Amino acid sequence: MRGRMSGWRKFEEGGDPRSLRDAFGSFATGVTVVTCRDADGTPHGLTANSFTSLSLDPPLLIVCLAKVTTSAGPLTESERFAVNVLRTEQRPASITFSTPAGDRFGKTRWEEGLGGAPLLTGSLAMFECARHAVHDGGDHWILVGRVERARFEEGPDPLLYFRGRYRRLHFDD
Ligand SMILES: Cc1cc2nc3c(=O)[nH]c(=O)nc-3n(C[C@H](O)[C@H](O)[C@H](O)COP(=O)(O)O)c2cc1C
C-alpha cells in the first residue's frame, strides 16, 4: 500500500503554512479553468480547484481566487464568468492556465459564452455564471456565481488533483 500508515504531520496556527497547504492537499478535487472577458474584450482565466457547488435554488457555485493572481481582479469585476470543468485529456490546459508565461488563450481552443467568457473546447462541464457576490476570504476572494447556463458530458473522465499532482479515476464500477 502506498503512503505512510502512521506518523501524522501537523499544523498549528502560526506554524509553517506549507504544512497547512499540504493538509488541505489531502482533499482530492477536480480541476477547473475559470474565465471571463474584461471591459476591453481581453479574456482572462486561471486554473482553480477551489470550485464548489453551493446551492440548487437559487443555482449557485463558488470559486476561491488568490488575491495575488492577475486574474482575480478581472474575475471579481466582471458581470459574467465561466467555470470549465476539465477532463483527463485537458491536463495541458490546466498547466497552461496555471503557468505565468505565454498567451493562454492562444494555446487553447475555446468559444465565447455569455458575456464573452471563454468556454474551453472539450470541457467535461461548463457553467456560465453571473456574478452573485464577492466575499473576503483571507488571502483569497470567494467568488459566488449564479448559474445561468450549464452543460456537461456524461461519458468522459475528469482530471483530478491530489497532493500536488494530477490524477485519474481508478474505479470503473
Ligand atoms: C491544480 C491547480 C489548482 C489551482 N487552484 C487555484 C485556486 O483554486 N485558486 C487560485 O487562486 N489559484 C489556484 N491555482 C493557482 C493558479 O492557477 C496560478 O497561480 C495561476 O498562475 C494564476 O494565474 P494569474 O496570476 O495569471 O491569474 C491552482 C493551480 C493548480 C495547478
Side-chain angles (χ1 to χ4, degrees), residues 31 45-50 63-66 68-72 94 97-100 104 140 161 166:
V31 181
L46 85 171
T47 300
N49 66 342
S50 55
V63 179
C64 300
L65 306 165
V68 296
T69 59
T70 53
S71 307
S94 179
F97 282 87
S98 59
T99 306
R104 291 175 177 171
H140 282 59
Y161 198 69
Y166 294 102

Side-chain angles (χ1 to χ4, degrees), residues 32-138:
T32 74
V33 171
V34 186
T35 63
C36 72
R37 195 181 273 257
D38 69 19
D40 297 334
T42 307
H44 298 272
L46 85 171
T47 300
N49 66 342
S50 55
F51 168 82
T52 305
S53 57
L54 177 63
S55 166
L56 287 177
D57 187 15
L60 301 177
L61 58 75
I62 287 178
V63 179
C64 300
L65 306 165
K67 290 176 182 176
V68 296
T69 59
T70 53
S71 307
L75 280 165
T76 53
E77 284 159 22
S78 181
E79 294 293 318
R80 293 228 163 75
F81 67 94
V83 179
N84 298 271
V85 178
L86 303 188
R87 67 165 82 184
T88 306
E89 295 78 8
Q90 288 175 300
R91 179 164 51 166
S94 179
I95 293 167
T96 296
F97 282 87
S98 59
T99 306
D103 171 15
R104 291 175 177 171
F105 290 94
K107 292 180 185 163
T108 314
R109 286 182 57 210
W110 56 279
E111 62 188 76
E112 259 183 37
L114 294 173
L119 303 175
L120 304 194
T121 306
S123 296
L124 187 58
M126 302 165 183
F127 297 91
E128 295 172 79
C129 302
R131 186 187 55 212
H132 182 77
V134 180
H135 299 292
D136 186 76

